[in-house]
Amino acid sequence: MTTSAFNDPTAQRLERIARGAEPDIVGRRLADVLHDSRWETCDVALIAGGKSNLTYRVASDAGEVVLRRPPLGHVLPTAHDMAREYRVQTALAGTAVPVPRTLWFESADGVLEAPFYVMERVVGHVCRNSLPDGYAESPEERASIATALVDTLALLHTVDPAAVGLEDFGRPAGFMERQLRRWTEQWEHSKTSDSSTVTGLRSALEAARPAQRHAAIVHGDYRLDNTVLHPTRPGEILAVLDWEMSTLGDPLADLGTLLAYWSAQDDPEILVAARMMPPLTAAPGFPSRDEVVARYAAQTGFDVSDVAWYQAFSYFKLAVICQGIAARAAGGAMLGSGFDDAQHMVDPLARAGLYLL
């Protein structure tokens, strides 16, 4: 940047947006709102980003916090809603559902020129590809992780939304009908060619769509790697993360998502081909999907007889998401690695959904 650019407000604004969370700006703001001048000198490091909201670790002599903001560049008006994430986590703080403590929210009119919020940093294990060396080595410990994961979901779904001020957080009635319509529209907008497998799954889902029996606070993307496990006690979840898709809706949508990401040792090839991540839960000790469903039903008292439909819907949604990632990557809108295989996952995911139906 040239010397003259430092005097150009537009150039300064673009520089801030390009950085996402510039340390000087973030530090001064945190010193003000957290009432501790030690935040003025801080380090900011991106710890997650690319396909979703951006997550930064902010460290100073005052401690460490996490800052969340939308992706850089243009986003849909209803996407990446920071106020929504902040609200649901703040509301759940007084319940048995483990969430990071929220500290500050700022709108797009604030210092980053994008909405963001700050929360405590929860230290533990986020397990996506594997368990850490020496952690949960016994089948019993791995079973305790699964139990905690299912029980935490049951805790969320049995929270009374009105009791925590979330009675207007969404429209539960007709939730899955709207979801099916929404993701069908997403498919139409992002497809680069027709797929009889995807359209066949969509038609099968519509034909077999069950009546909604329950309503609850829904996470929207509930799976193992969206939780923080206790660093030394595997059967304890310290926090549930990534609430950007949360709303009021059909709780079995969350259960379907969990099952779609689950892997088992005896999975048929059609489900193996649809795996979105390494089969961590296929390790000895992790329960089968049927056992996961039985545990959830026992903890909630919900009727889960149509759970296969919800898992099939989750495969449909994941297929559409993969198609969207592939389309944006082909157009040059997504940088970095990890996008090349998205297109190749679309049909295997749809075939898995048809298999379940």
Side-chain angles (χ1 to χ4, degrees):
M1 183 178 288
T2 64
T3 303
S4 61
F6 280 105
N7 299 318
D8 181 354
T10 300
Q12 291 176 8
R13 179 180 63 82
L14 291 175
E15 176 69 4
R16 288 201 297 273
I17 291 175
R19 297 288 296 277
E22 208 281 332
D24 289 345
I25 296 172
V26 170
R28 287 195 300 270
R29 194 63 178 140
L30 290 183
D32 180 30
V33 300
L34 300 182
H35 311 293
D36 191 332
S37 61
R38 291 176 296 172
W39 285 109
E40 290 182 1
T41 302
C42 67
D43 294 320
V44 178
L46 181 67
I47 56 178
K51 302 174 189 174
S52 186
N53 292 324
L54 303 180
T55 306
Y56 300 85
R57 179 184 61 84
V58 184
S60 76
D61 288 344
E64 293 185 339
V65 294
V66 170
L67 184 149
R68 290 263 289 174
R69 60 152 292 161
L72 307 180
H74 174 71
V75 296
L76 296 174
T78 57
H80 311 289
D81 192 337
M82 295 294 95
R84 194 169 194 83
E85 281 195 43
Y86 182 83
R87 182 184 175 190
V88 68
Q89 288 180 229
T90 303
L92 291 172
T95 72
V97 180
V99 290
R101 183 168 60 97
T102 53
L103 301 172
W104 178 253
F105 171 79
E106 191 152 322
S107 71
D109 297 329
V111 296
L112 292 185
E113 300 183 6
F116 72 93
Y117 72 94
V118 178
M119 59 185 172
E120 69 172 335
R121 181 177 178 234
V122 179
V123 178
H125 298 305
V126 176
C127 303
R128 178 176 175 83
N129 297 322
S130 63
L131 296 172
D133 290 341
Y135 185 79
E137 293 185 305
S138 72
E140 293 76 17
E141 288 176 319
R142 290 191 284 268
S144 72
I145 292 174
T147 297
L149 191 64
V150 175
D151 288 358
T152 298
L153 184 61
L155 286 171
L156 172 64
H157 290 166
T158 50
V159 170
D160 178 3
V164 294
L166 294 177
E167 63 273 12
D168 61 345
F169 197 57
R171 295 180 295 140
F175 178 74
M176 293 311 303
E177 180 181 4
R178 293 194 305 275
Q179 285 284 296
L180 190 54
R181 184 168 61 246
R182 171 193 173 188
W183 290 102
T184 298
E185 292 171 354
Q186 290 285 93
W187 167 255
E188 294 298 329
H189 290 152
S190 61
K191 68 179 181 179
T192 53
S193 62
D194 288 326
S195 167
S196 59
T197 313
V198 175
T199 55
L201 175 56
R202 189 255 175 255
S203 297
L205 287 166
E206 179 60 39
R209 180 167 54 82
Q212 182 172 324
R213 296 183 174 91
H214 312 287
I217 302 169
V218 173
H219 179 274
D221 194 23
Y222 192 81
R223 58 185 200 249
L224 178 60
D225 62 314
N226 274 339
T227 66
V228 180
L229 301 180
H230 192 283
T232 59
R233 297 194 294 272
E236 185 176 338
I237 291 177
L238 298 181
V240 178
L241 307 175
D242 291 354
W243 292 87
E244 61 188 279
M245 300 175 73
S246 59
T247 187
L248 300 186
D250 189 331
L252 295 190
D254 275 345
L255 182 60
T257 297
L258 180 62
L259 296 175
Y261 279 103
W262 204 262
S263 296
Q265 289 179 316
D266 60 350
D267 276 344
E269 183 55 37
I270 197 166
L271 295 187
V272 171
R275 287 174 177 169
M276 293 289 289
M277 58 182 64
L280 192 158
T281 59
F286 282 102
S288 67
R289 290 185 189 85
D290 286 346
E291 290 171 321
V292 167
V293 172
R295 176 80 187 189
Y296 175 86
Q299 294 298 105
T300 61
F302 292 168
D303 182 342
V304 296
S305 56
D306 296 313
V307 69
W309 186 94
Y310 291 88
Q311 185 182 345
F313 170 80
S314 293
Y315 281 127
F316 173 69
K317 177 178 170 181
L318 287 170
V320 176
I321 289 172
C322 283
Q323 179 59 58
I325 291 171
R328 292 194 297 277
M334 303 189 81
L335 303 178
S337 61
F339 306 121
D340 294 342
D341 293 334
Q343 184 72 66
H344 300 299
M345 286 300 300
V346 174
D347 276 351
L349 284 162
R351 282 194 289 270
L354 284 169
Y355 169 81
L356 288 169
L357 293 178

